[in-house]
Amino acid sequence: MPELPEVETVRRGLAPHAEGLVIERVEQRRPNLRFPFPDDFIKRLEGRRLVSMGRRAKYLVADMDDGTVLIMHLGMSGSFRVELSSGEETPGTFHYDRSKSTTHDHVVFHMSNGGRLIYNDPRRFGFMDLTTRAGLATCKHFEKMGIEPTGNALSSDYLAGVFQHKKAPLKAALLDQRLIAGLGNIYVCEALWRAHLSPKRTAGSLATKTGKPTEACERLTVAIREVIADAIRAGGSSLRDYVHTDGSLGYFQHSFAAYNREGEPCRTNNCTGQIERFTQSGRSTFHCPKCQR
DNA sequence: CGGCATACCTGCAAGC
DNA sequence: TGCTTGCAGGTATGCC
């Protein structure tokens, strides 16, 4: 599930049940997720007050009162749920459907208000790491990370600059977290569809010889910004077994125009094409060959 | 360095 | 029904 909009949705769901509270106890139920937990993981977190729950690209970034920073990545199947001391669950966060099981509850943060933040991850592609506020920007996960696709850093000039001379397919360039950090397979497909651009086109074709943005580059810039904003507004998409804690599905999935719509009619006005799927650098790409050029 | 394939791990849907 | 196969939102690594 989690691309940037989903991680932002999780962050917003967790923040009210985390910020300002002390992490009284950490239950770490296995030695590793995708990677081993860092040394002294429990010791460095227990007793700390969690000052803020932030996000950078697809990472959750939790700041502690002593400068420790907990970095969490949800991988492909990671999710959080919140359980309150009353036994209630809270709406707003994503979690793996509990009718399945709690077998994959790997970490439980017991907070000072009696609530629990529970990390569940069937595939264990997620990971957690510790760094410090001072070392955050240069830690291995963030050191080479590109700009956020939200906010002012994303501009057609920026895109033209990093795409110039690149022979990689546009799709691959957009998935490259060193250029733009936070886009994944779904939203790249959606942004390219909105901009009417072929995923096969070279990234370099969006810049002129002098490195200025082409008209296509302008369209893509707007498309990326809008698709991410729309998805965050919708509370992230929800695929397969992901549901909100109140049981409702994330509903951006109903807005997919390309992703997962193989064989269905293209939704571009007056376009009579249909969505095709093919494999590009090992991943499924969905596009309309008729209106995406 | 760029670009690509592969590995990591589990669950689910589809096909037989 | 039950088996096998392929596919899934992620990143890291190694090979040319």
Side-chain angles (χ1 to χ4, degrees):
Chain A
M1 163 198 68
E3 299 182 31
L4 187 155
E6 290 73 32
V7 178
E8 176 60 20
T9 301
V10 170
R11 188 198 69 74
R12 292 179 186 185
L14 291 178
H17 307 285
E19 291 180 342
L21 301 175
V22 172
I23 301 174
E24 292 195 332
R25 192 159 68 86
V26 177
E27 256 183 89
Q28 179 200 320
R29 298 184 175 168
R30 44 176 305 125
N32 62 290
L33 293 170
R34 178 164 183 194
F35 306 114
F37 283 88
D39 291 341
D40 299 324
F41 181 71
I42 295 172
K43 198 186 293 180
R44 288 175 66 185
L45 290 175
E46 282 184 348
R48 300 271 55 88
R49 187 173 297 277
L50 196 159
V51 177
S52 73
M53 182 65 77
R55 180 193 59 74
R56 171 81 168 94
K58 302 172 193 173
Y59 291 79
L60 292 167
V61 178
D63 273 272
M64 307 300 148
D65 55 0
D66 67 344
T68 299
V69 176
L70 168 62
I71 297 172
M72 299 177 281
H73 196 289
L74 305 178
M76 297 274 260
S77 60
S79 61
F80 272 96
R81 70 177 191 275
V82 178
E83 290 177 357
L84 302 180
S85 51
S86 59
E88 280 179 73
E89 286 206 357
T90 61
T93 56
F94 278 99
H95 74 92
Y96 191 72
D97 188 344
R98 287 191 309 134
S99 66
K100 304 293 188 312
S101 78
T102 55
T103 308
H104 303 293
D105 288 350
H106 302 309
V107 183
V108 182
F109 298 99
H110 295 261
M111 308 305 288
S112 51
N113 65 349
R116 296 176 292 282
L117 315 181
I118 302 168
Y119 180 71
N120 182 290
D121 188 356
R123 290 176 74 181
R124 304 203 304 274
F125 281 0
F127 51 90
M128 296 190 186
D129 203 358
L130 293 173
T131 182
T132 60
R133 195 69 223 164
L136 187 62
T138 53
C139 79
K140 66 179 171 190
H141 309 292
F142 290 179
E143 178 174 38
K144 294 180 179 170
M145 189 176 279
I147 60 159
E148 289 281 312
T150 57
N152 296 332
L154 178 67
S155 66
S156 53
D157 284 338
Y158 174 83
L159 280 191
V162 294
F163 285 173
Q164 193 185 10
H165 308 311
K166 264 201 183 300
K167 288 178 192 158
L170 196 43
K171 167 114 188 275
L174 290 172
L175 285 173
D176 187 340
Q177 304 294 302
R178 295 168 303 183
L179 306 180
I180 305 173
L183 301 181
N185 204 32
I186 294 177
Y187 296 114
V188 166
C189 289
E190 292 301 310
L192 288 171
W193 178 84
R194 289 189 183 206
H196 304 304
L197 293 174
S198 168
K200 299 178 189 176
R201 185 199 253 261
T202 67
S205 71
L206 296 204
T208 66
K209 274 176 233 155
T210 54
K212 297 289 177 210
T214 63
E215 192 268 332
C217 187
E218 307 280 1
R219 288 205 310 270
L220 181 59
T221 306
V222 173
I224 292 169
R225 200 178 287 136
E226 290 186 351
V227 77
I228 294 296
D230 287 352
I232 290 175
R233 206 172 302 127
S237 55
S238 176
L239 292 181
R240 301 177 188 282
D241 32 21
Y242 282 88
V243 293
H244 283 204
T245 48
D246 62 2
S248 67
L249 291 170
Y251 55 90
F252 190 76
Q253 56 183 334
H254 302 306
S255 306
F256 290 165
Y259 188 81
N260 231 4
R261 291 193 68 243
E262 182 180 18
E264 294 179 51
C266 178
R267 289 179 176 158
T268 297
N269 280 347
N270 301 319
C271 180
T272 56
Q274 56 174 232
I275 302 300
E276 286 181 7
R277 163 197 179 142
F278 68 104
T279 299
Q280 209 174 10
S281 49
R283 329 250 337 237
S284 284
T285 295
F286 297 87
H287 77 306
C288 173
K290 195 154 184 177
C291 70
Q292 289 181 249
R293 297 297 172 155

